[in-house]
Every structure is written in structure tokens, then in C-alpha cells.
Amino acid sequence: MLQQTRVTAVIPYYQRFAARFPTIADLASAPEEELLKAWAGLGYYSRARNLQKAAISMGRKFPSTYEEIRALRGVGDYTAAAVASIAFGMPHAAVDGNVVRVVSRLTNGVGDVRSEAEARLDRLHPGKFNEAMMELGATICLPRNPQCLLCPVAQFCEARAAGTQDELPPKKARKMVRVERTLLVIRRGEKLLFRRRPDTDRRLAGFWELPEPEELKTARIGKELGRFPHTITNFHNIFTIRQAEIAVKPRGYAWLSPVEPVEYLLSTVVRKALRLILKE
């Protein structure tokens, strides 16, 4: 859950998820729709599917070595090192974005970050050391305006000595792509028309969405009901919601109540749209 998501956002999801799936066996045997409902709102749904695949592959016993943890579906170097060190005391440096920033500044950008992190790791207390490094980067060694006067390792920081802390690590240019999209609100009484994504869809299989004009060529499109932004990775989407009408409900669509969204698998985009619509 912490992959690409802030801790403060994850905590309530984690608590509900752990209560619903308290064991590996519970997670492995859960219907996918129920799994995705518990994950809904966190995005990047492949993480939830990979988590279940990992649970299925390990059976009832969690792996006991770094290599076995790393081999689980959806687990990379950082996650494997974090779990191995914090849960089992194995000496592996967990290198996330915060740790990259701390190490880059400690060395003033010299050397390979992962190698430097491994060299500095406290092998007697690797879990606590990794947590401390991540916390240092999250609270003190900030991307902008690092709190150097409060830093417990300022005397060892070569970037601080050279005055280059604001320049490290080098920022990668990220070009945002602006995309204009339209969602259609088609009513039948108190219900709205939704389209279910096919099971072959790799990202959002089984999710219900509001249709877009490209999918309903015969829809008669009316007035604008509102607009909202939604950014994911390098795409800054601007969604316009428009009222529309159709003569016949196409195959693959269904009339659903918008006031009971918990009953269906809905993406974050659709939830945003429904909140805007229901304010009318």
C-alpha cells in the first residue's frame, strides 16, 4: 500500500484491509471483487492483485529469506529489503525516495546510492536503521527547504558542508501531459447508466464507469454539469461531466444507483464524478 501512496492516506485503508483479511489464507481465498472493493480509493489496482497472487504462491507460511521475499509477485528491491530488515532483522538496506535523498546529500552526490546505503547500514539493527533513514528523509531531509539545523547527522553531511543540499539529488524532468476527457451522465429515474469494464482489462477489470462519448456514438449530449481534475503519473486529466440521453441501453451497460457506490467497484475518477453530480 505504501508504494506510490503517502503514509497518512494508507493508514485507514491498512486497518480496514488487515481486519478483513487477517491471514495469508484469508487474502489468498478472497473473491477478486471483494479484494478490489477493500482497495478502492488507493488506485494502482495491480498492487492489490499482485498482493493476492503473492499470498496464493506462499501458501500459509511467509518466506524466511530475502531472496524468497523478493521473488513474490509485485515485490521489488525496496519492499523486499524493508520487510526483510524490519520484520526479520535481515541486513538489507531499504532504499526508497527518502533514503535516496538522504544518501545523495550525505555523499554530495558521489558514488552509487544503493552501495552507499548498504555500506552505512547498521547490521545489528537493520530494521530500526532503515526506519530511521526513511523517517529522516520524510521529516527533516526534505526535498525543498531541508531542515539542516535540526538534522542529527548534519556534521557528516558533505552536501551541507558544500552548500549543495538544495541541488541533490538531481531532479529528473517530468513532462506532464494534459488530457481533456468527457463523462456522460445518462439518467433513468434515480439511476445512472454505467459501463462495466471487461474482465480482459488488465488495470480495472470489473469496475463500473460512467460512459464517454467515444463509447456511445448515438448519445445526445446536453449541458455541462461540472468539471474536475485527476492527475495520475504523467497525465493531468481534466474531466467534463455532461448530461446526455440514449434511446436504448447498449449491451455491457447497466442502470445503477449513484447513492450506493459501496455496492459496486468504482474507480477514483467515478467517485469524484459522483460526488460532484450528487451536489446538484
Side-chain angles (χ1 to χ4, degrees):
M1 286 184 177
L2 289 173
Q3 294 172 353
Q4 305 186 51
T5 309
R6 294 176 296 107
V7 173
T8 52
V10 161
I11 290 173
Y13 284 94
Y14 170 77
Q15 292 170 334
R16 291 193 295 268
F17 199 89
R20 172 59 191 86
F21 310 111
T23 69
I24 296 172
D26 291 325
L27 179 58
S29 62
E32 184 176 272
E33 184 170 348
E34 189 172 343
L35 170 74
L36 296 180
K37 281 182 181 178
W39 196 274
L42 285 171
Y44 301 100
Y45 291 93
S46 61
R47 295 182 298 173
R49 293 189 175 98
N50 284 337
L51 189 61
Q52 186 174 54
K53 289 173 182 175
I56 293 170
S57 69
M58 72 177 73
R60 293 180 178 273
K61 184 180 178 182
F62 198 85
S64 58
T65 69
Y66 171 84
E67 290 73 23
E68 289 173 329
I69 297 171
R70 179 65 178 82
L72 293 174
R73 187 68 174 264
V75 173
D77 293 339
Y78 160 67
T79 300
V83 172
S85 63
I86 296 170
F88 301 110
M90 300 180 198
H92 295 276
V95 182
D96 68 350
N98 289 320
V99 175
V100 167
R101 187 163 56 254
V102 171
V103 174
S104 294
R105 289 170 175 170
L106 283 172
T107 63
N108 199 23
V110 176
D112 174 70
V113 168
R114 182 168 296 279
S115 298
E116 293 291 341
E118 290 286 353
R120 286 168 167 73
L121 180 68
D122 180 347
R123 280 169 160 67
L124 293 178
H125 308 95
K128 290 182 178 179
F129 185 87
N130 281 331
E131 288 184 310
M133 288 286 280
M134 290 186 279
E135 188 72 3
L136 181 63
T139 61
I140 300 294
C141 195
L142 304 171
R144 295 192 182 93
N145 301 317
Q147 307 297 300
C148 296
L149 295 179
L150 302 176
C151 182
V153 296
Q155 61 181 312
F156 308 113
C157 182
E158 295 184 21
R160 167 70 170 164
T164 57
Q165 64 269 24
D166 290 327
E167 302 167 18
L168 293 169
K171 295 178 178 60
K172 297 179 181 178
R174 189 174 78 161
K175 184 178 180 180
M176 295 298 294
V177 179
R178 181 184 171 95
V179 181
E180 297 273 353
R181 296 175 63 181
T182 299
L183 300 177
L184 301 180
V185 172
I186 303 172
R187 302 179 188 271
R188 191 185 72 173
E190 297 297 318
K191 296 186 176 182
L192 302 180
L193 187 69
F194 285 83
R195 179 181 76 96
R196 186 181 185 275
R197 284 218 182 206
D199 293 334
T200 54
D201 189 302
R202 293 183 61 187
R203 291 196 312 112
L204 296 172
F207 277 69
W208 291 92
E209 297 184 329
L210 293 172
E212 299 187 42
E214 295 78 12
E215 300 156 4
L216 291 178
K217 302 291 187 181
T218 60
R220 298 182 296 278
I221 299 175
K223 68 177 182 178
E224 179 179 320
L225 301 177
R227 292 164 63 88
F228 66 91
H230 182 72
T231 300
I232 181 168
T233 60
N234 294 349
F235 294 91
H236 182 62
N237 298 284
I238 302 296
F239 286 92
T240 300
I241 306 175
R242 289 190 172 276
Q243 189 171 293
E245 296 178 356
I246 58 169
V248 179
K249 177 179 69 67
R251 173 181 284 183
Y253 289 75
W255 299 104
L256 303 177
S257 169
V259 297
E260 300 172 356
V262 73
E263 297 296 324
Y264 327 113
L265 282 174
L266 302 177
S267 67
T268 302
V269 167
V270 173
R271 291 176 184 274
K272 285 184 177 181
L274 291 180
R275 283 197 294 269
L276 193 153
I277 295 167
L278 295 175
K279 285 181 180 178
E280 289 185 306

